[in-house]
Amino acid sequence: MQKENAGDAPSAPTTRVRHRKRNSDVGSGAGKANGSHLLVNDSKKYKSFLVRAYSTFWMIGGFALIVYLGHLYITAMVVVIQIFMARELFNLLRKTHEDKQLPGFRLLNWHFFFTAMLFVYGRILSQRLANTVTPDKVLYRLVTSLIKYHMAICYSLYISGFVWFILTLKKKMYKYQFGQYAWTHMILIVVFTQSSFTVANIFEGIFWFLLPASLIVINDIFAYICGFFFGRTPLIKLSPKKTWEGFIGASITTMISAFLLANLMGRFLWLTCPREDLSTGWLHCDPGPLFKQETHALPGWISDRFPWKEISILLVQWHALCLGLFASIIAPFGGFFASGFKRAFKVKDFGDSIPGHGGITDRMDCQMVMAVFAYIYHQSFVVPDILSADKLLDQIITSLTLEEQQALFVKLGQMLQEKFVGS
Amino acid sequence: MEEENVTSSPSTPVQRLRHRRRSNEVVLDGDKVNASPLLVNDRNKYKSFMVRTYSTLWMIGGFVLVVYMGHLYITAMVVVIQIFMAKELFNLLRKAPEDKCLPGIKQLNWHFFFTAMLFVYGRILSQRLANTVTADQFLYRLVSGLIKYHMAICYFLYIIGFMWFILTLKKKMYKYQFGQYAWTHMILIVVFTQSSFTVANIFEGIFWFLLPASLIIINDIFAYIFGFFFGRTPLIKLSPKKTWEGFIGASVTTIISAFILANIMGRFPWLTCPRQDLSTGWLQCDADPLFKPEPFLLPAWIPNWFPWKEMTVLPVQWHALCLGLFASIIAPFGGFFASGFKRAFKIKDFGDSIPGHGGITDRMDCQMVMAVFAYIYLQSFIVSQSISVDKILDQILTNLTFEEQQALFMKLGQLLKDKLT
């Protein structure tokens, strides 16, 4: 498959269609780029199509297993993926010649990586970690004080890295070192923003991780399929293999699947319940108003022709439509960004960890954009919907200590007093 | 003064010693690098010394005026400084011929700047803005709505910029455009982190902005003075004009000044009271226990030599010692970083807004490192807060109506009373 690509399209730097981690896209080769014949007419492609489908099923199987195992295992998978992604990206713009003269520079990158990981996961998982160790007094006090000084600890680690960087600046290597320093920061920001948001989504309910990820996969698969059968008009100069027909077909399919998948996924408590601590056992919860079935009577013209009179819809399906819209229209720009980046720096792929697919970053580029959107959407539009005075009261009683509750009471009293006097 | 620089040392790219915005350091030249006579022996330097002192006094005067006018005006000053800093840094690595082929690239930078400003100041000042408009029902609902969807609005603006960037990628310009994109992000992160933390410090009490800034200035002035009189051993290859004598002398002076300055500044409520809204009037508040004087028994060996047995110390002075330690030891690395950066990219100064001093970034490099430290120190060791309490309080205030908040308050009060009895 790789020989095929190299032979067919020596001029286009990215010969392969963007592959998502769990799809069965086939390397399209120069046939599409030249706009001559449709892919469907090339019999060689069917063979690679089958090979890809085989590996896709394995990946989907592995993914389903991890989802079954639970939140902590999915988080571990996300962390592993991000370590590999960071390593790929660190190595990308590194020049071995300069690196030989700078011992300890790679170590510095991993120091910043570790600091970023501590900072980001500390913020997101701190409350849940505290909830996990509440039975044990000693551990609880240790954990709460670590949480209190968390920002100071991470800052000290960062400043030591900063001082280390300055002390290792070598004459005539300044530009390279500053370039690497900036590159390290950009990588860590990109990788950790999206992975931390992904983990935050997971602990709000696997649904909020699984649905966005699936939509990206579906969008890619159907963009390929629709392009395979109908593709004629190129979409954007940056990715010559993408077509308008593929784009529009995939968008429609993604939105419909979003609506249906949300209904399907919303029925499982395992997927919809948030996890309040770091345990791995079964989950019970009240799923909340979003996942309650509501029956809508179908409009007259449908019930006349078909035997169904009404359908049950979960409220969350309307939110899923928004996610689907974003996944089909905006998330592909993550792929365009990665394409442009690879052309700018004349890189064929981000890495070669996944044989035949490229590196991990090639698979994750659209997923990253989607994960950030899913988190922000969830925090802005879903959480306020389901939050109510009673729920907040519950949260106050369960997650705050008695002193904290009293502190909250006093502060709230002051704020209400000010408002009352003001109005 | 500038002619002096150019003729004296053509070889060193960084001619001038790092100047702080309100310092009166004199330009050093190749004499120090060649380690020949001490600065104090060179007559020309006394003249530029006087000129610098004059402009420094004007700058200090202006700064004191802004501090007197209050939190909102200091914030405005910080915002103006950061706009100029961002403009300097945006222009720094820009290449004019490429820019001509890319219309709209400057607007894209300012679009991201505006988004970052909205995001960062929105987070920090949102609660105080809400407190300011509580009187007006309509404004209050508008502001609460904006706060609730603040993150979504900023994300939306960012994504628009992201898409705009991708749609304007031009063949053969990819590398330049991606470089500019990364550079823009790095600038905005550096500039906004420190300025947002500065503003957060200001609203906790002007003390927490004024003390760190003053310590950096004092450190610089005394590093220069000690280097002027005693400097012999170079400190670091990156900045050949800095010396160990200057460094150590300045550290000792800074730590002592921190202790004394904290006592002086801690006596004024204008400087120590936090501001809960965006008003500009006088401030009254209960003095934080940090600022209440406490007697401190001097250790036994001192009273034997001096008549004093004890002195009054504000507890905040011990915190000031930590700030002083950081300002003298670690904050100068901000200056080294800027020096190294300028050498890496072969530029003399970040800009030329301040005649004779360079650009704004040249003045602010150590201040930035200090501001971030001051914020983190404040939040970790001084402000006794619990993240979860504030988070839930935020949720209560942004998601519930006034009546619902009151109902929650009543229920919580009832629950707590039951628990205690």
Side-chain angles (χ1 to χ4, degrees), chain A residues 49-66:
Chain A
F49 182 88
L50 286 176
V51 174
R52 289 297 177 113
Y54 185 68
S55 48
T56 305
F57 281 125
W58 270 106
M59 288 198 275
I60 289 181
F63 184 65
L65 175 70
I66 293 186

Side-chain angles (χ1 to χ4, degrees), chain A residues 152 155 162 166 174 178 189 238 333 337 340-341 344 372-373 376 380 387 390 404-405 409 411 413 415 419, chain B residues 140 149 155 166 174 178 189 238 333 337 340-341 344 372-373 376 380 386 390 397 399 405 409 411 413 419:
Chain A
Y155 179 73
F162 178 72
I166 289 174
Y174 292 150
F178 272 95
I189 288 164
L238 218 45
F333 278 83
F337 186 88
F341 184 87
V372 174
F373 173 77
I376 291 179
S380 306
L387 219 51
D390 288 328
E404 287 176 329
Q405 289 172 18
F409 183 72
K411 275 194 193 178
M415 301 217 151
K419 283 196 193 158
Chain B
Y140 182 71
Y149 296 112
Y155 178 75
I166 289 175
Y174 292 150
F178 272 94
I189 288 164
L238 219 43
F333 280 85
F337 186 88
F341 184 86
V372 175
F373 174 76
I376 290 179
S380 304
S386 170
D390 279 331
L397 292 169
N399 292 318
Q405 292 171 15
F409 181 69
K411 282 197 213 170
K419 274 197 192 175

Side-chain angles (χ1 to χ4, degrees), chain B residues 67-269:
Chain B
V67 168
Y68 176 76
M69 297 211 315
H71 305 76
L72 209 56
Y73 290 91
I74 305 177
T75 305
M77 178 188 81
V78 167
V79 169
V80 165
I81 288 175
Q82 119 199 348
I83 291 176
F84 280 104
M85 223 190 327
K87 198 158 78 150
E88 245 177 52
L89 291 168
F90 279 158
N91 288 333
L92 201 62
L93 296 191
R94 175 160 294 154
K95 293 179 194 153
E98 276 91 332
D99 256 16
K100 288 207 188 76
C101 306
L102 293 166
I105 196 173
K106 283 187 130 149
Q107 277 93 313
L108 186 63
N109 281 346
W110 289 111
H111 171 89
F112 283 123
F113 180 88
F114 173 72
T115 305
M117 183 176 258
L118 189 68
F119 177 66
V120 141
Y121 287 108
R123 278 173 75 98
I124 292 196
L125 297 179
S126 57
Q127 200 46 54
R128 292 174 167 93
L129 182 63
N131 289 347
T132 315
V133 299
T134 27
D136 189 330
Q137 273 287 44
F138 171 70
L139 259 184
Y140 182 71
R141 272 188 312 180
L142 178 67
V143 167
S144 316
L146 282 177
I147 291 174
K148 193 168 160 192
Y149 296 112
H150 168 249
M151 213 170 168
I153 293 171
C154 294
Y155 178 75
F156 179 67
L157 288 173
Y158 179 80
I159 282 288
I160 287 179
F162 179 72
M163 284 169 43
W164 179 1
F165 168 72
I166 289 175
L167 293 172
T168 58
L169 282 173
K170 246 178 152 164
K171 242 184 150 88
K172 312 224 180 297
M173 307 280 295
Y174 292 150
K175 189 163 187 180
Y176 176 72
Q177 287 181 283
F178 272 94
Q180 288 292 311
Y181 189 77
W183 180 233
T184 300
H185 280 65
M186 287 302 292
I187 294 172
L188 291 178
I189 288 164
V190 166
V191 167
F192 276 99
T193 316
Q194 59 90 18
S195 72
S196 67
F197 286 176
T198 308
V199 170
N201 285 346
I202 291 169
F203 279 87
E204 286 290 335
I206 299 179
F207 179 91
W208 300 105
F209 159 73
L210 196 55
L211 183 66
S214 317
L215 291 178
I216 296 285
I217 297 169
I218 288 172
N219 192 58
D220 258 353
I221 293 176
F222 281 91
Y224 177 74
I225 289 177
F226 278 95
F228 193 89
F229 287 106
F230 307 113
R232 278 177 220 289
T233 345
L235 176 64
I236 188 172
K237 278 197 289 281
L238 219 43
S239 297
K241 294 173 295 307
K242 298 211 182 277
T243 59
W244 273 103
E245 292 82 10
F247 183 73
I248 293 175
S251 305
V252 171
T253 321
T254 305
I255 293 176
I256 295 174
S257 331
F259 196 75
I260 297 172
L261 266 183
N263 194 323
I264 297 174
M265 289 186 192
R267 297 166 193 266
F268 298 95

Side-chain angles (χ1 to χ4, degrees), chain A residues 320-341:
Chain A
L321 277 183
C322 294
L323 290 178
L325 193 66
F326 186 90
S328 43
I329 312 273
I330 314 257
F333 278 83
F336 301 152
F337 186 88
S339 282
F341 184 87

Side-chain angles (χ1 to χ4, degrees), chain A residues 130-143:
Chain A
N131 289 348
T132 315
V133 298
T134 12
D136 189 329
K137 274 263 130 179
V138 169
L139 261 183
Y140 183 70
R141 273 191 308 188
L142 177 68
V143 167

